[in-house]
Amino acid sequence: MQSVRDFNAGLLDFLQASPTPYHAVESMQTRLAKAGYLPLNEKDAWQLEPGKSYYVTRSGSSIIAFTQPTEAQALEKGVQLVGAHTDSPCLKVKPQPELHRHSYAQVGVEVYGGVLQNPWFDRDLSLAGRVTYRTDKGELASCLIDMKKAVAIIPSLAIHLDREVNKQRSINAQLHLPPILWQEAEGEKFDFRVWLKSWMLEQQLVGDMEKIHDFELCFYDVQAPALIGVRDDFIASARLDNLLSCWIGLQALLEDQAPGSLLICTDHEEVGSASACGAEGPFLMDVLSRMFPDSETRTRVINRSLLVSADNAHGIHPNYADRHDANHGPLLNRGPVIKINNNQRYATTSESSAVLRELALLEDVPVQAFVVRSDMACGSTIGPITATNTGLHTVDVGVPTFAMHSIRELAGSQDAWYLYRMMTRFYRDCPRLNG
């Protein structure tokens, strides 16, 4: 098993290499292939062999990896599933984004998910995502891009022009969030697709390109992930929610390719998961149906299985402690958080929670619990959605975090490693409930 130092070093590299869900899935594919996992294509017939490990992607932004068990193994202990999501709140470029205002070339953006908007101002922003284009031969193709360099910024309005800004700041996403790319020369007319095509050809990302048809691009902060604090107590980064959980699940899966181990990381959780590649879509059941073609066997296997839905939790903020239930305020670096909500915003039950608590005991790591204040609304995860669609026994767990949905979030440098140890044990030797 990795040390906490090596685990966190790998996490920081993964976060840096994954500015979008497409890049995260590409990075995970590379690591799975290196570990001997075989690629599958949903368009092909599958011939799965017990003991062999596979991975399959959908839409380029969701991925499932698993080791095929024998039918006897599956009927004995079911499948051990860890689920996370690849997407994070961000600003996405609109299809016709060109804005020309007072000589500045800007792009219109759409807010994706529950973005905490204030922190996006005065950041060095780059662009990444997927571009679909027509080749010189008339064929359609797609490729991933990551500009890496800071190419845009959203400047704040000076306090002299908004004296009440520190008391109240209201952001209009349509008016105030378009980033500035450059200042246009006299008579210059900014065309986003022309500029993007020129950049891609200059970078030699494609061999030939007639025109760009469309794109799915988002802005991101170029500031690198880092361990921070006098004692390196914290991890600061964009997209901790929820690439941190993707990394935990991936590293636990690669630790021991145990038959029946499965990792699913899906897109679009931040906007409700209702898509072909989201947790509300058929991706997981499609894969389970091909792993276990017989419906009777599949139903029995699902009933013996457990899904760990891994998604970040809200740590108690020392400056805003009143926003938590006093008995359920998770602390950073004090262990993973079991998330409970009796209105089914989380899928945890007393039985599924007991399995996680047992794993924590076996690995000698701390564990905490989170319940939202009774007078506040509760967020949700892929847990209840997946449980509803599949019938899987499910538990919701996550690493406590500050500034969730900000452009730069904060987590404890010990907690992800704690959860990784628990998930490694979960895949290798999951405690079973009697009955």
Side-chain angles (χ1 to χ4, degrees), residues 234 240 313-318 324 330-332 399-406 408-412:
F234 310 109
L240 288 178
H314 296 292
I316 186 167
H317 195 303
H324 281 261
L331 298 172
L332 272 59
V399 168
T401 309
F402 291 156
M404 193 181 294
H405 290 195
S406 175
R408 195 163 178 86
E409 300 165 321
L410 194 73

Side-chain angles (χ1 to χ4, degrees), residues 71-128:
E71 182 174 315
Q73 288 171 328
L75 288 175
E76 178 186 356
K77 66 173 188 173
V79 175
Q80 287 65 245
L81 305 94
V82 174
H85 64 88
T86 58
D87 61 321
S88 302
C90 63
L91 303 182
K92 294 198 171 186
V93 180
K94 291 182 176 181
Q96 296 171 215
E98 295 87 356
L99 298 173
H100 312 274
R101 301 192 293 194
H102 301 280
S103 83
Y104 298 104
Q106 296 178 266
V107 291
V109 291
E110 184 176 8
V111 176
Y112 176 83
V115 173
L116 195 59
Q117 296 177 9
N118 277 311
W120 279 80
F121 288 80
D122 307 316
R123 294 278 185 167
D124 296 345
L125 303 177
S126 190
L127 268 176

Side-chain angles (χ1 to χ4, degrees), residues 372-373 375-379:
V372 73
R373 280 178 58 115
D375 55 358
M376 293 178 68
C378 182

Side-chain angles (χ1 to χ4, degrees), residues 122-142:
D122 307 316
R123 294 278 185 167
D124 296 345
L125 303 177
S126 190
L127 268 176
R130 183 169 65 182
V131 178
T132 303
Y133 59 94
R134 189 178 195 269
T135 70
D136 293 340
K137 298 178 181 178
E139 299 171 339
L140 295 181
S142 294

